[in-house]
Structures are given as structure tokens and as C-alpha cells.
Amino acid sequence: MKKKVLLLATIFVMAAVIAVTLCACDPTAQQTEVQLLQQQYNDISAAKVIGQSILIKSGEITQFESEKTYTKTDDGYTVTGTEKRFNGVDKLFDETPINETMQKAVDGKPTLKLDEQYFEAGYRLTETGLTANIKPANIKDVFGITGDLKAPTDDLMLELSVSGGRLSTVRINYDSDGSHVTITLTMTY
């Protein structure tokens, strides 16, 4: 009888140790919401289709508009869409169709770095995403920019939305030299 009790106790202890070990090895068990969101952003390469929309407006005038769809293939991506640039001379826009292929970027790494110290006070971080204004001094840190910014960037707001445990939308809004810029990525897995 004592042997059976000792055997059962040993089995329970071993099961508890294994359960604790498995929980400790689960990388998501110890992650903060920001770290989990960072991981979801880093996993964008798993998306089968990525939609990209860029809109630049000055007041009511659209200066530039781009709609692209990146569809994953075995070798990279097929890119389709259009770009419109304000012309204002003989026609309002010069429109360029896009139909090209891109090979996978061997060294392509996500450059977005999420850190709560980079956000202005009042940001919103939940299990469904993040809405944050980025501190002007940290814009280059957040986007992994090593050189100078190509254009002035004011009031930069970053929105990340999560659906079904995956990052579904990335939206960036900012003002630059009298124009308002909106960049949106949508992912389908």
C-alpha cells in the first residue's frame, strides 16, 4: 500500500514539475501586452495578402494616392495596384498601374520597435491593439530609421489592431509640411 501511495505521489509531483516547466517555457506566458503586440507585428511575414494604402492630402486636395496588394507566392510577392499623383495641369492625376513581382527579402526584418517609453501620455493598449502618439524624439527609434527623416513629421499616431490573435491592421497618421499622410496596412492570413 505504501508503495502505491509513494508511486502515486511521485507521479503527481512529476506531473506538477512538467506542467510548471512547460508553462515557464511558453514565451507568451511571460510577455507583456507590448511584447506580445511586438511579436504579432514581427509575424506579418506569415500573411498571405497584405494591402497597402497611402494617402497624402493638403486640405481637400489629394496630392498622392497609392493602393497596392502584395500577394504571397513561393518566390516572394506579386504586387498589383495603382498610384495617382496630383498633376493639376492638363488632367488632375497621373495614374500609374502597378503589376510586378518582388522576391523575398533575405535580410528583411520588421523595423517597428514598440516600447511604452516612446509613447505620449494617454496611449491606449489592450488585447485588441494599440493607439499611441509617438514622442517626436522617438520617431526614428520606433521605425528603425538610422539616418535623417526625409520630411518633417508632426503628430505621428500609430494604431495597431489585433483580430483572432494576429495583427490585422497597422495605421500611421502624421502631418508633414502642410500635408496629412495616412499609411494603412491590412493583413490576411
Side-chain angles (χ1 to χ4, degrees), residues 101-171:
T101 58
M102 295 176 58
Q103 292 190 351
K104 291 181 184 174
V106 175
D107 294 327
K109 297 176 189 167
T111 56
L112 190 66
K113 183 177 180 190
L114 301 176
D115 190 326
E116 292 176 77
Q117 70 179 349
Y118 297 154
F119 308 152
E120 299 271 355
Y123 66 90
R124 185 178 55 84
L125 176 64
T126 66
E127 64 277 351
T128 60
L130 167 73
T131 301
N133 286 344
I134 307 301
K135 293 177 183 175
N138 296 113
I139 291 172
K140 290 171 42 172
D141 298 318
V142 171
F143 293 101
I145 298 169
T146 54
D148 292 332
L149 292 173
K150 304 272 186 214
T153 305
D154 298 312
D155 299 323
L156 191 142
M157 184 173 63
L158 174 65
E159 296 176 78
L160 303 173
S161 298
V162 175
S163 178
R166 292 193 181 250
L167 187 64
S168 59
T169 307
V170 176
R171 182 170 291 113

